[in-house]
């Protein structure tokens, strides 16, 4: 059994015997866990990259400095329900979440995949539905903009019970 503490970007070389080895990693806060099996042979060095950041409950966008929930709320929500969901969210020990603006949603749409089948958010964000509510005022006071991660379009939607989308929460880096 070998234990080591590494910071992001650091590496550690471990000498092992030939054979199969199980590797486990856990973030210091215990939120992210990874496990894998590596086969070592005598002919080559084996490099294992442990993707702990991809397993965190949130993603920090390096371009905007915003922190995004790694997944949406997972069910139909009116705008008011989506807004309340984000305000009450506690994720990775963090609070202060909110619905994003329509522009913030546009910035995390992966335009390189537009036209391809599926939903295209950046940062490994998983969505259960293409449409996501924003905090941005729609065409009138009874509407908010919603964003589609299927094709990058936006539409002004009524905030009442007949219109549903998902809540994808965001927070500023200093919040």
């Amino acid at each position: 059994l070998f234990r080591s503490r590494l910071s992001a970007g650091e590496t550690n070389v471990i000498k092992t015997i030939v054979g199969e080895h199980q590797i486990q990693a856990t973030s210091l806060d215990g939120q992210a866990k990874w496990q894998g099996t590596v086969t070592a042979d005598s002919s080559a060095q084996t490099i294992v990259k442990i993707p702990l950041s991809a397993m965190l409950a949130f993603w920090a966008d390096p371009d905007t400095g915003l922190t995004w929930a790694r997944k949406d709320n997972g069910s139909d929500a009116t705008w008011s329900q989506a807004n309340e969901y984000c305000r009450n969210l506690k994720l990775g020990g963090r609070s202060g979440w909110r619905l994003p603006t329509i522009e913030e949603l546009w910035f995390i749409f992966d335009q390189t995949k537009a036209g391809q089948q599926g939903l295209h958010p950046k940062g490994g964000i998983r969505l259960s539905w293409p449409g996501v509510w924003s905090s941005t005022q729609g065409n009138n006071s009874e509407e908010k903009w919603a964003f589609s991660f299927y094709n990058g379009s936006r539409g002004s939607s009524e905030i009442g019970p007949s219109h549903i989308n998902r809540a994808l929460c965001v927070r500023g880096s200093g919040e």
Side-chain angles (χ1 to χ4, degrees):
L1 178 66
F2 176 83
R3 291 181 188 258
S4 177
R5 180 178 289 192
L6 297 174
S7 296
E10 290 184 336
T11 59
N12 198 344
V13 176
I14 302 168
K15 293 187 183 227
T16 64
I17 60 173
V18 173
E20 203 168 82
H21 302 275
Q22 184 177 20
I23 299 174
Q24 296 177 335
T26 305
S27 61
L28 287 177
D29 63 4
Q31 295 287 323
K33 298 179 188 319
W34 180 87
Q35 182 173 310
T37 303
V38 175
T39 302
D41 63 36
S42 59
S43 63
Q45 180 180 10
T46 302
I47 297 173
V48 178
K49 293 186 179 192
I50 301 174
L52 284 178
S53 64
M55 298 177 331
L56 292 173
F58 50 85
W59 169 65
D61 182 350
D63 295 329
T64 65
L66 295 173
T67 301
W68 292 86
R70 192 68 80 161
K71 61 181 182 174
D72 65 22
N73 66 320
S75 62
D76 295 345
T78 65
W79 184 86
S80 295
Q81 291 166 334
N83 190 45
E84 185 173 335
Y85 173 83
C86 288
R87 284 189 300 130
N88 293 326
L89 184 64
K90 294 209 183 325
L91 201 58
R94 298 174 182 194
S95 57
W97 299 91
R98 61 176 173 79
L99 283 176
T101 66
I102 196 70
E103 291 81 16
E104 289 168 339
L105 289 167
W106 170 251
F107 284 124
I108 64 162
F109 177 67
D110 189 346
Q111 298 174 39
T112 65
K113 296 181 181 174
Q116 296 177 19
Q117 195 74 359
L119 306 180
H120 308 297
K122 294 178 183 175
I125 294 172
R126 296 177 309 278
L127 299 174
S128 59
W129 181 257
V132 174
W133 286 111
S134 82
S135 62
T136 306
Q137 179 68 50
N139 289 333
N140 62 56
S141 62
E142 299 298 315
E143 296 182 353
K144 296 287 185 179
W145 285 102
F147 188 85
S148 171
F149 279 92
Y150 179 72
N151 59 13
S153 66
R154 54 182 88 185
S156 187
S157 295
E158 292 180 17
I159 60 174
S162 62
H163 286 79
I164 53 158
N165 286 296
R166 298 292 193 262
L168 180 62
C169 308
V170 68
R171 65 190 301 277
S173 58
E175 295 174 20

